[in-house]
Amino acid sequence: MTCVTERFFQYDSRLEVEVPSLDRDWDEYPSDLQEAVIVHWERIRAGIPDVIARFEKVIATLQERAAVEDDWDQVCKLYWEIADYASRINDLNILYRSDPELTSPGNSSTQTEAKTR
């Protein structure tokens, strides 16, 4: 499994999760390798709601600080941070909804690309 992690996933420090990093089209990988990648991806996906919850807490804290801040420049900085965390949450939600499927022999890549629910 370490091979799968190192070869097909890359840690994204902004999102604080590993993200898929494929070097070719999904249907070019053999089905056993696709299955190993999917198993690892499902483990990562299972943790995404926890990361989102952590980011939501950060946003709440930043909002509380902005509400009592008197320095306008500092308020702007806090809202930029809030926007950044909101963007991260959006990206994590997109990743969470990605749902790769195993490719059957003979299927075209348009039929087997990762689907979004």
Side-chain angles (χ1 to χ4, degrees):
M1 198 58 80
T2 303
C3 174
V4 170
T5 302
E6 292 173 1
R7 183 171 172 200
F8 299 103
F9 294 89
Q10 183 175 21
Y11 184 77
D12 186 315
S13 59
R14 180 177 167 269
L15 300 179
E16 298 182 13
V17 297
E18 289 179 282
V19 295
S21 179
L22 304 178
D23 57 3
R24 53 187 149 150
D25 288 337
W26 180 245
D27 60 345
E28 293 180 27
Y29 294 105
S31 61
D32 60 330
L33 191 52
Q34 287 180 5
E35 186 174 357
V37 169
I38 289 171
V39 166
H40 187 75
W41 174 240
E42 289 302 321
R43 288 187 185 124
I44 295 168
R45 273 182 66 196
I48 288 176
D50 294 334
V51 177
I52 290 172
R54 242 185 6 257
F55 287 171
E56 287 171 341
K57 287 180 183 178
V58 171
I59 288 173
T61 300
L62 292 169
Q63 288 173 323
E64 289 171 5
R65 287 177 47 201
V68 297
E69 180 60 56
D70 292 330
D71 180 356
W72 178 249
D73 289 336
Q74 187 62 27
V75 170
C76 291
K77 181 181 175 190
L78 290 167
Y79 276 108
W80 275 110
E81 288 182 58
I82 290 167
D84 178 54
Y85 277 97
S87 173
R88 295 177 194 198
I89 289 171
N90 184 59
D91 291 348
L92 286 167
N93 276 315
I94 291 168
L95 280 173
Y96 185 73
R97 289 190 303 268
S98 68
D99 191 12
E101 296 179 345
L102 289 176
T103 303
S104 311
N107 280 357
S108 71
S109 62
T110 57
Q111 294 172 325
T112 59
E113 290 177 354
K115 295 182 180 180
T116 303
R117 290 187 224 175

